[in-house]
């Protein structure tokens, strides 16, 4: 089965063509970062309008790159949530309509299921069951993944997500949006231990996270101080180490609790090199193995939406003619792929 997939949940417009037998044939992405930079964050209405402009040309480009005509497709997948409702609707309306026009089944994909299944695109995919640490701009979750659509949330953030913590502290350090990758770059030249920020909830049992205290701690350091570049790098290093230490400790705890030896790390923050390197080492000494998507599929993309959509379409699952988009959509609401019409 060969499908077209669309992603438009936030500030990235993306399209991909995935073939069940031949793998990923093509993927294209347009980032709106420049559009939102002047505002210091994503402006939802501007995001929706830009998706409307970008998506169809991306579809044409990706089909050409995959040497695929609509007649060679067997399905269309699109991100239906969670995310910005207008942004989601742009992709959902286009995906559902193209499927209707081409006489194909369509499937509404959960964005986080896409992140969870992104490592299946790699040469050595993770086995089931495994534990997944999903760290994005909007979510920090530890999940026991027993199979596709069988997700038990073991713990999550009570307040800010890990990506949000990176972005908000980056803003306090005067870094441009999106702050996460910029803070990580600055941290690389910072001195470890120059600043020690709180690692909340590490001293307590359980798998919950809390990152909102971090931005207050950083604000107290930054306010009233003239920090030069080296000083800012030290603060950035302190922030990155606090977040990475917390994520590693809880992920190892989740492996122990579930008696799993395989850990998937996905979502935008999984692009962080310090997290990747340190987690790989920590897991190895605990006798576990870590699986990541390739860096470009850590952050939002359509290839991961194609993987999740293909698994469901191949099982015979598809949607009714309704255009589906949900700003909120709990992961626990998902079920394994079924040979039936849903939505
Ligand atoms: O998964 P994603 O692309 O979008 C959401 O679904 O939220 O994640 C975006 C988040 C942002 O908070 C961004 O700052 C963070 O991932 N991020 C990083 C890095 N690359 C992206 N955070 C730390 N280090 C990075 N290298
Ligand atoms: Zn995402």
């Amino acid at each position: 089965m060969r499908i077209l997939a669309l992603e438009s949940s936030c500030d990235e417009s993306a399209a991909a063509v995935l073939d069940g037998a031949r793998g990923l044939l093509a993927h294209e992405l347009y980032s709106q970062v420049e559009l939102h930079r002047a505002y210091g964050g994503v402006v939802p209405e501007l995001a929706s309008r830009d998706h409307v402009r970008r998506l169809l040309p991306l579809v044409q480009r990706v089909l050409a790159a995959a040497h695929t005509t609509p007649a060679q497709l067997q399905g269309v997948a699109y991100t239906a949530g969670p995310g910005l409702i207008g942004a989601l609707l742009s992709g959902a309306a286009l995906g559902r309509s193209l499927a209707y026009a081409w006489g194909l089944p369509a499937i509404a994909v959960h964005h986080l299921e896409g992140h969870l299944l992104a490592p299946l695109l790699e040469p050595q995919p993770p086995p089931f069951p495994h534990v997944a640490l999903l760290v994005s701009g909007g979510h920090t979750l530890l999940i026991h993944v027993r199979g596709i659509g069988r997700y038990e949330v073991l713990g999550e953030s009570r307040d800010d997500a890990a990506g949000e913590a990176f972005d908000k502290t980056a803003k306090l350090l005067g870094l441009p949006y999106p702050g996460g990758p910029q803070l990580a770059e600055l941290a690389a030249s910072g001195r470890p231990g120059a600043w020690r920020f709180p690692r909340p909830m590490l001293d307590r049992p359980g798998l919950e996270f809390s990152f909102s205290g971090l931005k207050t701690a950083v604000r107290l350091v930054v306010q009233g101080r003239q920090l030069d570049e080296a000083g800012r790098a030290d603060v950035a290093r302190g922030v990155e180490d606090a977040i990475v230490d917390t994520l590693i400790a809880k992920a190892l705890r989740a492996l122990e609790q579930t008696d799993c030896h395989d850990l998937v790390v996905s979502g935008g923050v999984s692009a962080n090199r310090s997290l990747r390197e340190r987690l790989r080492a920590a897991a190895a000494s605990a006798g576990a193995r870590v699986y990541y998507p390739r860096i470009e599929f850590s952050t939002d993309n359509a290839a991961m939406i194609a993987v999740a959509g293909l698994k469901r379409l191949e099982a015979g699952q598809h949607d009714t003619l309704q255009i589906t988009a949900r700003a909120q959509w709990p992961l626990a609401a998902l079920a394994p792929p079924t040979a039936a019409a849903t939505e």
Side-chain angles (χ1 to χ4, degrees):
M1 180 181 261
R2 187 178 295 189
I3 68 164
L4 168 73
L6 304 178
E7 155 65 30
S8 69
S9 63
C10 189
D11 58 348
E12 244 101 46
S13 313
V17 177
L18 179 67
D19 185 294
R22 293 178 47 205
L24 187 64
L25 299 183
H27 62 99
E28 297 275 337
L29 184 134
Y30 177 85
S31 169
Q32 302 180 353
V33 161
E34 295 304 325
L35 177 70
H36 300 292
R37 183 160 284 150
Y39 306 93
V42 180
V43 183
E45 183 58 24
L46 292 182
S48 317
R49 290 175 192 213
D50 212 44
H51 286 305
V52 170
R53 266 193 296 271
R54 308 289 173 188
L55 278 168
L56 201 51
L58 280 174
V59 167
Q60 287 166 328
R61 283 226 311 267
V62 85
L63 287 176
H67 303 292
T68 297
T69 63
Q72 291 169 294
L73 292 171
Q74 282 85 43
V76 178
Y78 63 87
T79 306
L84 302 172
I85 195 66
L88 289 165
L89 273 170
S90 330
L94 179 62
R96 189 67 201 84
S97 307
L98 285 176
Y100 178 72
W102 294 337
L104 299 175
I107 187 88
V109 173
H110 194 293
H111 181 79
L112 299 185
E113 181 167 68
H115 277 305
L116 284 178
L117 302 184
L120 297 186
L121 286 162
E122 301 310 311
Q124 290 188 325
F128 297 105
H130 59 249
V131 167
L133 171 66
L134 205 164
V135 273
S136 68
H139 297 87
T140 303
L141 295 162
L142 274 163
I143 304 158
H144 192 194
V145 180
R146 291 194 176 83
I148 292 169
R150 300 177 64 202
Y151 310 123
E152 185 199 345
V153 175
L154 302 168
E156 60 190 308
S157 180
R158 291 187 174 178
D159 40 59
D160 291 353
E164 219 174 337
F166 267 106
D167 294 341
K168 287 180 177 171
T169 51
K171 206 167 185 173
L172 288 170
L173 286 170
L175 297 169
Y177 155 88
Q182 310 246 5
L183 186 133
E185 209 183 308
L186 187 60
S189 59
R191 292 172 300 156
W195 293 99
R196 190 177 162 83
F197 294 113
R199 282 128 173 89
M201 312 194 72
L202 264 197
D203 50 345
R204 284 186 239 168
L207 298 169
E208 306 276 282
F209 301 88
S210 167
F211 288 110
S212 66
L214 201 52
K215 61 176 187 288
T216 314
V218 171
R219 188 177 290 121
L220 289 174
V221 167
V222 173
Q223 262 172 4
R225 262 199 192 84
Q226 285 297 333
L227 289 171
D228 60 9
E229 183 72 4
R232 286 162 65 240
D234 285 345
V235 176
R237 178 62 186 256
V239 168
E240 186 177 62
D241 284 349
I243 296 174
V244 170
D245 279 354
T246 308
L247 294 176
I248 291 177
K250 298 275 166 145
L252 294 183
R253 208 180 274 179
L255 285 171
E256 207 180 302
Q257 191 173 306
T258 53
D259 205 15
C260 274
H261 302 281
D262 296 288
L263 176 70
V264 159
V265 188
S266 62
V269 178
S270 74
N272 184 277
R273 289 194 186 274
S274 166
L275 175 66
R276 283 190 176 225
E277 282 159 24
R278 292 189 44 211
L279 193 48
R280 207 186 294 276
S285 41
R289 207 170 148 182
V290 194
Y291 302 81
Y292 299 100
R294 70 193 81 163
I295 297 264
E296 67 177 324
F297 295 159
S298 284
T299 46
D300 289 349
N301 66 88
M304 67 183 196
I305 302 305
V307 178
L310 184 68
K311 292 286 176 201
R312 292 183 176 277
L313 286 164
E314 276 180 342
Q317 184 177 335
H318 60 91
D319 296 340
T320 61
L321 285 179
Q322 189 178 320
I323 294 167
T324 310
R326 302 174 191 179
Q328 311 273 349
W329 190 1
L331 194 63
L334 293 185
T338 165
T342 50
E343 291 311 324

